Each structure stands twice: as C-alpha cells, then as structure tokens.
Amino acid sequence: MGLKLKSKPISELEYIKWDPEKVVYAFSQGNETCAESAVLAGCDFFGGYPITPSSEIAEVLSRRMPQEGRVFVQMEDEIASMASIIGASLGGARTMTATSGPGFSLMQENLGYAITTEIPCVIVNVQRLGPSTGGPTSPSQSDYMQVKWGTHGDHPIIALSPSTIQEVMELTIVSFDFAERYRTPVILLMDEVTGHMREKVGYPRQEDISIFTRSNELPESGDYKPYDLSVKSGVPPLISFGEGVRYHVTGLIHDEYGFPTRNRKEIRDWYDRIYRKIDNGLDRILRYDLYNLEDADTVIISFGISARTGLEAMIQARKKGRKVGMVKLLTLVPLPEEMLKEVIANVDRVIIPEMNRGQLILDIERLNKKGIDIIPVNRYDGEIISPGDVLDAIGGC
Amino acid sequence: MMERFDVRLAGLGGQGLLLAGLILGHAVTIYDKRNAVQTVNYAPLARGAPSRAEVVISDGSIYFPEVLNSDVLLAMNQSAYDEFKSQVKPGGIIIADTENVKNFCQSEETYKFPISKIAKLETGRTITGSIVGLGIISIITGIVTPSALTNAVKTRAPRGTVQTNLRALSAGLSAMEK
C-alpha cells in the first residue's frame, strides 16, 4: 500500500510554451480540433478519404491546408491515402491521414511499409463499431489490438489516445513530434464521441510550438546510411529525398544502406534496432495521468472516452469513502508496463472499462504476476460506458 | 460553485437542435467563462429522425460527457417528451413545445410554450424553435446569460441566418412576459 507513482503528463514534454495572454479559446469539436492542431503542428500534407466518424478532419483540412499554402489531396481510397502520406513524408513533408476502422484496415499493408522503411507519418483513427462497415455513427474502442498488430510481422509502433478536446489538441502535436523523432508511424486513436463532442480548448500560437524537425544534414564522410546500426539512439537521421543523397527504400528487410539483405546478423540487428529506438525513448513516449493512488485499494485503468467515465465513477466512489484511484493512459502503445506492474503489485484489484469485448484487459492480465482481481467493464452496443456500470463493478454501497 | 448542470434538447432532425446545443455550449464557455461539454446523438438522416443535443455545464471539471438525467429537458416533440420526461432530475424542469407535445402526464415541473408557433410568427421558420427554446431556458434557469447567448448566436449561426436567429432568441427571452 502507499503508491508514490507520479503522473507523466503531456505538459512535461514542453512542446507548447503557453503564454496565458496569447491563448485563444474556442468551443471546438474533437475532429475540428485535430485538424486545426495538425495545421499548428506544421502538417504540410494531408492525403485521405473521408469516412464517418472522422470526416470533419478531412473537411476542415480541405479548407485550411490551401489557406496555409499546404497540400490537401482527397485520394481514391485509404490504400492510396496511406501511400500518399508515406511518399510525401519521404519528400520532406510532415504528413497525416485520418480514417475510421474500415479505412484503417485498408491502410495496414502500407502501415507496415512505413514501419519497415521508418518513414514518419501520423494516422488518426476515429473508432466506430466494427469489423467491416460495422456502425458508422457509434463509438467504440475495439481497434486497440489492431493498432498494435493490424499489420503483420514483429514491429513496434506508437499509439496515443485523447479523452478531452484539450488532449486532442496536445496529442495531435505530440504525434507529429514522435513520428519525426522516432522515424515511425504514430496512431492517434480517437473514438466517435471524442471526435464529435465539443469542449472548450485553448489554442497556442504556431510560434509557441516547438517539435522535432529533420535536420537533413549530410554526414561529413559523405557516406549516408539511412538505416545506420551504429547510431546510439537507434534512430538514424532521415534525410529527405531531394536533399542531396540517393538511397534505396524497400519493404524488404534491409541493410544499413536500405538494400535487401538475407544476412542473418543484419536481419536480427535491424529488428533489434527498430525495437531499441522505441525502448530508448520510453521516458518521453510514455504519458499517463494518475489520480488518488496514494491510498487506493481499487484502481480503474482506462483510456479515451472510457477514462472520463472512470474518473466520474472514481469521484462518486470517493464521496462514499471508497479508496478508488485511476490510471488514465494517454500512451496506449507501448504500454507503460513498469508503472502498471507497480500499481498491480500494490492494490487489491483493478477495473478495466473499455468499449469492446475486452482487449486492453488482455495486456493488463499479462502483467498481473500477483494474481489480483482484474474486473472487466465492457460495452459494445454503441453507447458509452456509464459511471453506474463502473460503480457496479466497484460494488458495495 | 456549480458542480454539474445537465441540459437535454430533444426532438426531431430539422428542428435546429444541434445548432442550439452548439450555441449554448459556445455561450457558456466562451462568454460566461464556465466549462461545458456538448454531445450529439442523431441518425444518419437530415430530417425527421430523433435528434438530440446535450450540454453539461460546470464551474469545475466535467468528466462523464453525456447527460444521464437532466436538470432541463427541452422537449420539441411528443416522442422526445415521452422518452426523456422520466430522465429529469428531482427538482429539474421540462420545457415543452405545445405545438408538438399534446399529451402530458404528472411529472417534474413543466413549462408549456407554443415554441414552434412563436418561432414561425417571429421568423417565419419553425427551425428557429430551438433558439426560442434557448431564450426560455436562459430566463427560467439563469444557467446562461442572455448576452452570452446573443454573442454566441452572432458567432455561430450559419451565415445569412444571424438576424433571424437573433429574433428567435429575443422572442424566447421575452416569452415569459406574454
């Protein structure tokens, strides 16, 4: 008992220098906010195919990108959308696409290509019921596992999940930073409710945002290895096409120069490096907010819109004297395993509300070495989980 | 400090409920400097299907974003009244459009106004009824100030409809006097 863990909030990253005098407040929808924040983050290229419940992102950007002298392309489908953001990124642009489950499924092959070739890009998935066309206007959180394992083969990826419109704004900006900093696709995982609800959001000015930018600096030796194994961080600098070097890009497992290899050591070293680059960044990548853990015997662990339900339930349970705490995951993939292990080791039980038939819970159970009670609260009927559903799981009176 | 005030605007697609929810949320957050979350619930049809907008207002943080039981229900048609009248908090109120709600039962305090008729008379368009409703909500509950609503209509009403919606709002704000 007596957890002394600290939150790792988004603000700690200091990507936004907030000037209270200069903040502009808006009453803004999640999707609109995501689009405006992409513009603020310096997104140069959006290629997408509108789909409910993400359509407003494309709608807003189709107007805003040309206004800013940047590129918006409505592609013929989601396969091409994903291809377009990879190509534009390799050409030096900060790129994004936005979709929902059916489109995200179509993107999986090219998503794997972006992971393998280590080309930065941001993919927004505003989740709806699935599989297939599922439920276009119904919220869901059932793409949690698809985000991790939708494309085949061993691979790391980063996925972030907002639960408020302010977090939509800040995590959109963080997504662009992580994509460039770690040379990886980043998934911003939203849901129909966070996409469509409106809330007060404070916008910084563009000049108050500073995120990772490619240096495009050629090595002194003139010998550029786009997949250099010797870089300590595990992230070889990416030089955009057209900046003075030629190199090979392929989805085949490749050597340091980007050419296909069947050399066993090179194959192993490549896999180990793409995992190492994420592992080395965990201190920055893992973001979560913790509430009332100090004396908690019961902890709710959740993300996205269900985390808001969890917080409401926590507050109502606390009013009745129950020792309930909360872990709100902002980074979903990779999971903050060390923090979660410590929580599990120090409480009697955890409750996992999620709008699916139980996906996050599988990862939490894997960390449950002590064998405490792990209680699912699932909803998959197109309505969000209510505080009462979670209070029922907490039990008592 | 007000912890949580739940507003439910319910009726049919085409009655302007989503715009009214947006205007209420904008008024409360941007001009009255409180917090609000607005959610919507609608079918993939533009008109005729059940539609509702919900706004949660607070001086503190709002966690659960949707309305379970409301402090105010604006019922713009019979089925909205029938469905949501029992989901009004004790002490909460119902404001009903008597042009479309005819059958009332014993329930929470109910204010009856011919909202659609007022809208039609003032603006020529029944779609502005929801804005009339906002004016009435402001006067009865004080949850949003008339000036905040006026500013929000100016900012958020679709281009070309600001004057029409201002007339509707003003009719709602003075509906109690008649």
Side-chain angles (χ1 to χ4, degrees), chain A residues 25-28 32 56 137 193 196-200 305 308-309 311-312 315 319 383-387, chain B residues 3-4 21-22 25-26 29-30 33-42 62-66 68 156:
Chain A
Y25 287 101
F27 186 64
S28 182
E32 291 167 356
E56 294 86 357
T137 57
V193 179
H196 284 155
M197 76 180 174
R198 287 188 169 83
E199 218 166 9
K200 184 156 73 174
I305 198 69
R308 294 180 73 129
T309 302
L311 282 167
E312 182 75 38
I315 284 167
K319 281 181 182 162
E383 293 289 333
I384 68 174
I385 299 168
S386 76
Chain B
E3 213 166 285
R4 187 179 171 113
L22 167 60
H26 190 92
T29 52
I30 303 302
K33 312 278 184 203
R34 298 181 129 158
N35 288 326
V37 184
Q38 180 230 347
T39 53
V40 295
N41 195 304
Y42 55 97
I62 300 165
Y63 297 112
F64 188 66
E66 295 190 345
L68 294 174
R156 286 297 190 133

Side-chain angles (χ1 to χ4, degrees), chain A residues 87-105:
Chain A
S89 178
L90 199 52
R94 276 186 192 153
T95 67
M96 182 169 103
T97 190
T99 189
S100 185
F104 193 55
S105 288

